Every structure is written in structure tokens, then in C-alpha cells.
């Protein structure tokens, strides 16, 4: 049985998962938007987000679980429970809309502790280039359902954009490094 890494306050994690049996999670734009709305409701109170990408049958997030004193919700719940609440709420709505039943996401959701700067930067590039890796587009700029566009924009965002850009030194270097095609493969990156 796979050992589950607990989510600890103050630590950074790569959170990822896919549809059960690699089934579709997002059939239309409304699905993506609703998932992000639920993410804001359930995850923003307990975590900071540095990068994300939603694909048709899977997703990736790079987050930092907030310290206990940073969490401003009246009810203190475990970070893992917040993710479970997100997935359960989305599954319930998805099942109702598409007249289906049963699990939608693989369980348990996957998480990998992120513990050093080079990995952090590479993970951001990996997440944003996921649609390129899966031959959906030629550049992350062309894909609407990731945080890449928020990183290069001046529009208000809850994404930790300033911190992300600082890791790359500036926006131009951020863009340049995302253009390189020699990013790590999925298997190497996720240790699968």
C-alpha cells in the first residue's frame, strides 16, 4: 500500500491527481471555472498557490500550506480534509450535471513535498508546460487553464505571482525558461 505524505503547515507541495481510470474531469469551460471557484473556497483559506494547470483528465498545483496562525477560518480543519472537500464538492456537481454516479478522482490524491529551489522552479515550468507535453498546444501561452497567463499579466490574482517571478529573476527570464523544450519527463519528475 502506498504511504500517504501528510500535508504539514509551512511546507510546499506538488498536488496532483487524475480522473479515476483516467476519465475526463473537465468536459467544458464551465467545469474548469467551477473547479477553480471551489478551489478558491476550499483551498485558498489554507494554502498559497504558486502554479497550477487543469487538463481534461488530470491537474497539478504547486502550493504552500499556510502556518496555523496564517489561517483565518473560524473552523480549523486539516489541509488534506480541505482537498477532500474540494474533490467531493466537484464530484457531486459533476455527477449531477452529467447524470453519473460514483468516484471521479483517484484516491488518495497525490502529493509530493517540494524542498529545494531548483526543484521549485523546474516544477513551475513542468506544470505550465503540461499542455505542451501532452500535445495540446505549442506553448503555455496558448493554454487558458493554467497559471502561466496570470504570471505574465498585471491583472489582480490570488496566485503568488511576485514570488514566482522573483524565483525566475524577472518576467523575461520566466518566459525564456518556459520556452526550453528539455524539461524533465513526467516519470522522472513524479518519481513514477
Amino acid at each position: 500500500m502506498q504511504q500517504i505524505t501528510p500535508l504539514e503547515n509551512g511546507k510546499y507541495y506538488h498536488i496532483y491527481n487524475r480522473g479515476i481510470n483516467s476519465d475526463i474531469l473537465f468536459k467544458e469551460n464551465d467545469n474548469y471555472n467551477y473547479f477553480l471557484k471551489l478551489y478558491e473556497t476550499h483551498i485558498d483559506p489554507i494554502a498559497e498557490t504558486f502554479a497550477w494547470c487543469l487538463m481534461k483528465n488530470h491537474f497539478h498545483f504547486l502550493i504552500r500550506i499556510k502556518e496555523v496562525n496564517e489561517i483565518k477560518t473560524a473552523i480549523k480543519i486539516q489541509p488534506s480534509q480541505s482537498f477532500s472537500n474540494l474533490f467531493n464538492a466537484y464530484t457531486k456537481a459533476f455527477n449531477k450535471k452529467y447524470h453519473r454516479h460514483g468516484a471521479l478522482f483517484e484516491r488518495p490524491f497525490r502529493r509530493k513535498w517540494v524542498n529545494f529551489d531548483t526543484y521549485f522552479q523546474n516544477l513551475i515550468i513542468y506544470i505550465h508546460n503540461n499542455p505542451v507535453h501532452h500535445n495540446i498546444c505549442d506553448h503555455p501561452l496558448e493554454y487558458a487553464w493554467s497559471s502561466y497567463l496570470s504570471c505574465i499579466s498585471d491583472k489582480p490574482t490570488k496566485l503568488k505571482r511576485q514570488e514566482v517571478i522573483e524565483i525566475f529573476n524577472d518576467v523575461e527570464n520566466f518566459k525564456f525558461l518556459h520556452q526550453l523544450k528539455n524539461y524533465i519527463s513526467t516519470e522522472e519528475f513524479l518519481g513514477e
Side-chain angles (χ1 to χ4, degrees):
M1 180 175 221
Q2 176 187 1
Q3 184 170 345
I4 300 170
T5 303
L7 298 177
E8 298 178 34
N9 297 93
K11 291 191 175 180
Y12 295 86
Y13 294 93
H14 178 196
I15 305 290
Y16 56 104
N17 205 355
R18 63 182 173 199
I20 197 161
N21 298 319
S22 295
D23 280 350
I24 299 295
L25 296 172
F26 309 105
K27 292 186 177 204
E28 54 190 279
N29 286 349
D30 285 348
N31 300 149
Y32 292 99
N33 285 321
Y34 188 63
F35 186 87
L36 291 173
K37 180 181 171 194
L38 289 173
Y39 183 91
E40 183 177 334
T41 298
H42 294 283
I43 306 307
D44 280 357
I46 59 103
E48 298 172 326
T49 305
F50 293 85
W52 60 270
C53 185
L54 304 180
M55 304 288 287
K56 276 199 174 291
N57 70 346
H58 69 283
F59 62 81
H60 297 272
F61 288 94
L62 173 55
I63 63 163
R64 182 184 78 89
I65 302 296
K66 295 178 181 177
E67 296 287 0
V68 174
N69 63 352
E70 295 176 283
I71 299 172
K72 300 192 178 7
T73 58
I75 301 169
K76 303 291 185 198
I77 59 174
Q78 294 297 316
S80 292
Q81 185 62 51
S82 293
F83 279 98
S84 292
N85 292 346
L86 162 65
F87 303 144
N88 290 336
Y90 183 77
T91 298
K92 185 176 179 180
F94 189 91
N95 285 352
K96 182 177 180 181
K97 181 170 185 166
Y98 297 107
H99 309 288
R100 69 180 298 279
H101 63 277
L104 181 60
F105 296 95
E106 287 190 352
R107 290 190 178 135
F109 67 91
R110 299 189 179 146
R111 73 285 313 259
K112 188 170 185 178
W113 178 45
V114 178
N115 63 352
F116 57 96
D117 292 338
T118 304
Y119 180 64
F120 195 89
Q121 185 185 68
N122 286 338
L123 180 56
I124 292 169
I125 294 169
Y126 169 79
I127 289 171
H128 289 154
N129 272 299
N130 216 254
V132 177
H133 175 74
H134 289 285
N135 299 313
I136 294 169
C137 59
D138 293 324
H139 190 280
L141 185 63
E142 302 165 3
Y143 192 72
W145 302 109
S146 84
S147 56
Y148 182 87
L149 294 173
S150 293
C151 286
I152 62 171
S153 169
D154 290 330
K155 293 179 182 175
T157 180
K158 291 187 176 183
L159 185 76
K160 302 305 278 182
R161 176 176 46 217
Q162 181 177 342
E163 291 85 343
V164 168
I165 296 304
E166 286 174 3
I167 290 165
F168 289 87
N169 296 322
D170 57 41
V171 173
E172 292 311 312
N173 196 46
F174 173 88
K175 292 176 183 178
F176 173 75
L177 290 175
H178 277 76
Q179 291 177 14
L180 300 177
K181 299 293 183 191
N182 62 349
Y183 53 88
I184 301 168
S185 73
T186 303
E187 292 76 20
E188 288 176 290
F189 213 85
L190 301 178
E192 295 176 348

